[in-house]
Amino acid sequence: MGEIHVNTLSIGVDIGTTNTKAVLFDNSGQVLIHEQYSYPLITTDADTAEQHPQSILEAVEFVLMKVIQASKQWGELSHIAFSAQMHSLILVDEHMVPLTNSITWADNRAKYCAEKLKHNQMGDLIYRNTGTPIHAMSPLCKLLWFKETQPDLLKATHKVIDIKTFVLYHLSGQCVTDMSIASATGLFNIHKKYWDDTALNLVELALHQLPQVVSTTYCLSMSENAKNRFHLHKQVPMVVGASDGVLSNLGVDSMRPGEIAVTIGTSGAIRSVVHEPLIDPEGRTFCYILDDSHYVIGGPVNNGAVTLQWLGEQVLHYPHHSEDPIDFEEMMHRAKSVPIGSDGLIFHPYLSGERAPLWSSDAKGSFIGLTLAHHQGHVIRAVMEGVIFNLYSVMTTLTQISNITPTSIKATGGFSKNELWRQIMADIFNCQVIVPEDYESSCLGAVILGKKALGHLNDYEEISSWIGKTICHEPIKGHVQQYKVLGSIFLDIQKQLLSTYKHFSVYQQQFKNQTDERDHNDL
């Protein structure tokens, strides 16, 4: 580690989909204080997922205020560094006033635009240039949806920005976006590191309508206004940072070949670091920028722990504790009571369509192999195994395009608190699973990137000592062999059902239209 003042502190801010977190770290990466502020996701229908930009700005300012004030008892602030959700989109006027809400990665209204683009040569070219799969999540496809459904609004738009750009503009007065966030828009050429002409022409955007793109280690100065609001007596550099996904790899020290980062919260992702852009010929994986010499390849999944929540709430109707909507402890107890592989019951967890590895909004969930002998414990365990099998199918794609063989998995997210789920992952992936005990990986990753930006860190190899206590699971040989057989069946069924999902989707839409029409006539 380079030379650092003894009492120098750092703040990592993570602007997430459900909340914003700010964490104060000391020189050794230990957490001193943690604050978070939640906000709602606006879901007026099944495909809409938006947020109020002003609510998120207020959340950022709230947590920053709390942590900055608390930091004064420990020492001097070195820097503030930012992490943020990917794929957000806000249309703003010439005064940077939002004309829309922040449209999140989870918004699915652009799915038909994405399907049309995905199946032609231009879609393939844009994916190869940008590293962002053609899917409704990407700002590129959201802009195509605006172009098709609200062309006048798009024409009235002064700039197209993301949520981190919106926040940083209000803290600094500068309209910038980092290369990491830009590389997840479908509009940025990761090879040339510049906005992509083909993508911009497709959505009819001019360069001046986009933020200035800067390195992930770029430093901003806080405006006098903001400095006074936070009661700061001198400038504290704000490092623009990167996206939450790539920073999570950095925050769990998963930077070497074979080290895989896996996050499972409501949704999930699996990621590995490479040193040059790596694109899947079949468009199944992403490639996003971490910094000037590191890229992160991987795949995001829609269906993580939300599948278990669905099972508990909508199917099993478990009694719950007053402070917890579902009795997960009881669910885990039942899952442990059945053998691995759930006695041949397989669950495909595509309850909300799927991104990697299918990239299909039409994908549906299914139980395969259900018999009269199966009970609740089997169903619960099959759901848990299905989520991990799906992530493993993404890993097989990464192995095909990069020759990466996992040697260890650094796991984070809500699922990592559960011993059974961690062991299932170790057995299905047939490698060691390591879980850090006590920090936010994206916030820590942002702080580490900030230290490199300020010259306090020479190389990422130096961060291993920051990881602290971990929980480790080794694969169990007998389990590995059984899961290998079941995993092969899982992948085979996955391929066979791909053509069927479209038929299901058409039928469900027709049924919904008929129901809506009957309801309308009954009014």
Side-chain angles (χ1 to χ4, degrees):
M1 184 84 58
E3 181 182 348
I4 307 176
H5 297 296
V6 176
N7 292 322
T8 298
L9 310 171
S10 312
I11 296 175
V13 179
D14 180 36
I15 305 167
T17 309
T18 56
N19 57 53
T20 285
K21 302 165 187 172
V23 182
L24 179 69
F25 296 95
D26 68 11
N27 291 338
S28 61
Q30 297 304 301
V31 174
L32 298 176
I33 189 170
H34 174 286
E35 290 285 347
Q36 74 176 47
Y37 191 101
S38 300
Y39 31 75
L41 192 64
I42 302 165
T43 53
T44 52
D45 56 57
D47 287 331
T48 301
E50 299 180 340
Q51 291 170 321
H52 293 303
Q54 191 63 33
S55 297
I56 296 177
L57 175 61
E58 289 169 3
V60 172
E61 292 188 335
F62 176 85
V63 295
L64 263 179
M65 181 73 76
K66 290 279 190 181
V67 174
I68 287 172
Q69 294 311 305
S71 72
K72 294 176 181 178
Q73 65 182 294
W74 282 292
E76 290 289 324
L77 273 179
S78 161
H79 66 280
I80 302 167
F82 291 84
S83 162
Q85 55 177 283
M86 289 179 279
H87 314 302
S88 62
L89 178 75
I90 309 171
L91 308 184
V92 298
D93 67 14
E94 63 272 23
H95 304 295
M96 291 291 282
V97 174
L99 300 173
T100 65
N101 284 327
S102 178
I103 305 172
T104 72
W105 64 268
D107 195 281
N108 209 28
R109 286 173 291 178
K111 59 186 176 183
Y112 299 116
C113 296
E115 283 300 311
K116 282 190 289 186
L117 181 60
K118 186 165 69 172
H119 296 295
N120 67 46
Q121 289 184 338
M122 184 174 289
D124 182 60
L125 174 62
I126 289 174
Y127 166 69
R128 289 173 183 270
N129 287 348
T130 67
T132 303
I134 305 299
H135 186 267
M137 70 178 185
S138 81
L140 166 74
C141 293
K142 293 181 175 86
L143 287 168
L144 285 175
W145 177 76
F146 272 115
K147 183 180 171 185
E148 189 174 293
T149 61
Q150 300 180 65
D152 291 341
L153 178 60
L154 196 56
K155 287 176 183 176
T157 297
H158 180 67
K159 280 191 184 294
V160 171
I161 64 172
D162 59 90
I163 188 61
K164 194 206 282 188
T165 296
F166 180 78
V167 169
L168 291 179
Y169 175 80
H170 283 274
L171 296 180
S172 72
Q174 292 190 54
C175 182
V176 300
T177 191
D178 65 78
M179 284 190 185
S180 179
I181 292 289
S183 69
T185 61
L187 303 166
F188 189 77
N189 191 306
I190 59 174
H191 310 279
K192 298 178 180 178
K193 294 186 177 176
Y194 197 65
W195 295 114
D196 185 70
D197 290 338
T198 304
L200 296 195
N201 289 337
L202 179 64
V203 296
E204 298 178 9
L205 270 188
L207 279 174
H208 67 80
Q209 291 180 280
L210 293 158
Q212 176 192 353
V213 181
V214 297
S215 165
T216 57
T217 54
Y218 186 81
C219 292
L220 294 168
S221 295
M222 199 174 280
S223 68
E224 284 300 312
N225 228 353
K227 191 156 68 78
N228 291 336
R229 284 203 306 278
F230 294 123
H231 307 294
L232 289 168
H233 302 298
K234 63 177 184 178
Q235 276 290 348
V236 176
M238 294 193 301
V239 182
V240 294
S243 67
D244 52 4
V246 303
L247 286 174
S248 186
N249 272 66
L250 187 54
V252 296
D253 189 26
S254 180
M255 299 291 288
R256 289 161 288 272
E259 294 180 341
I260 309 299
V262 173
T263 304
I264 305 180
T266 302
S267 56
I270 183 167
R271 303 173 301 274
S272 183
V273 174
V274 293
H275 292 283
E276 59 185 17
L278 198 56
I279 303 298
D280 174 31
E282 296 181 36
R284 295 168 295 177
T285 58
F286 60 65
C287 181
Y288 301 144
I289 294 172
L290 171 56
D291 63 16
D292 294 337
S293 57
H294 293 84
Y295 299 77
V296 174
I297 59 171
V301 299
N302 286 353
N303 302 278
V306 69
T307 57
L308 206 60
Q309 183 176 350
W310 161 82
L311 183 67
E313 288 180 350
Q314 304 299 329
V315 180
L316 303 180
H317 303 294
Y318 270 136
H320 56 78
H321 304 134
S322 58
E323 72 279 3
D324 193 354
I326 304 171
D327 192 342
F328 285 112
E329 187 176 336
E330 171 64 17
M331 292 179 76
M332 294 306 104
H333 176 72
R334 288 178 180 262
K336 282 182 179 179
S337 71
V338 301
I340 69 160
S342 307
D343 283 331
L345 180 61
I346 290 176
F347 176 65
H348 280 94
Y350 310 131
L351 300 181
S352 53
E354 191 51 285
R355 288 180 288 171
L358 305 180
W359 296 104
S360 171
S361 299
D362 293 326
K364 309 298 176 189
S366 57
F367 285 98
I368 307 290
L370 197 60
T371 71
L372 291 172
H374 288 117
H375 54 68
Q376 285 189 2
H378 291 98
V379 172
I380 297 166
R381 185 169 188 126
V383 167
M384 298 172 71
E385 291 171 335
V387 170
I388 305 301
F389 274 131
N390 191 50
L391 280 167
Y392 182 73
S393 72
V394 181
M395 185 67 238
T396 61
T397 302
L398 292 183
T399 301
Q400 291 167 13
I401 68 171
S402 67
N403 295 319
I404 293 171
T405 300
T407 56
S408 68
I409 291 174
K410 310 286 182 72
T412 56
F415 97 108
S416 64
K417 298 173 184 176
N418 181 265
E419 180 183 357
L420 177 59
W421 230 343
R422 297 193 302 260
Q423 188 61 52
I424 290 172
M425 176 169 281
D427 294 337
I428 288 177
F429 278 77
N430 189 23
C431 70
Q432 186 182 60
V433 171
I434 301 167
V435 181
E437 273 192 351
D438 50 15
Y439 59 75
E440 295 288 344
S441 58
S442 294
C443 287
L444 180 58
V447 161
I448 291 169
L449 194 64
K451 286 187 176 295
K452 192 172 184 187
L454 297 173
H456 295 164
L457 180 70
N458 296 316
D459 192 276
Y460 294 137
E461 294 289 335
E462 300 173 20
I463 66 175
S464 296
S465 61
W466 282 41
I467 301 307
K469 293 181 180 179
T470 59
I471 301 167
C472 185
H473 289 262
E474 299 289 346
I476 299 169
K477 190 174 181 180
H479 295 185
V480 170
Q481 292 306 314
Q482 290 188 59
Y483 277 136
K484 188 175 181 181
V485 174
L486 202 61
S488 178
I489 298 171
F490 180 97
L491 293 173
D492 188 46
I493 296 169
Q494 184 189 73
K495 292 173 186 174
Q496 291 183 43
L497 287 179
L498 273 174
S499 60
T500 306
Y501 291 140
K502 185 68 179 176
H503 299 310
F504 269 118
S505 187
V506 169
Y507 170 76
Q508 288 176 343
Q509 186 60 48
Q510 289 174 342
F511 182 79
K512 180 179 182 301
N513 291 343
Q514 291 169 1
T515 303
D516 289 347
E517 186 176 346
R518 282 199 303 270
D519 290 345
H520 178 74
N521 291 336
D522 288 342
L523 291 177

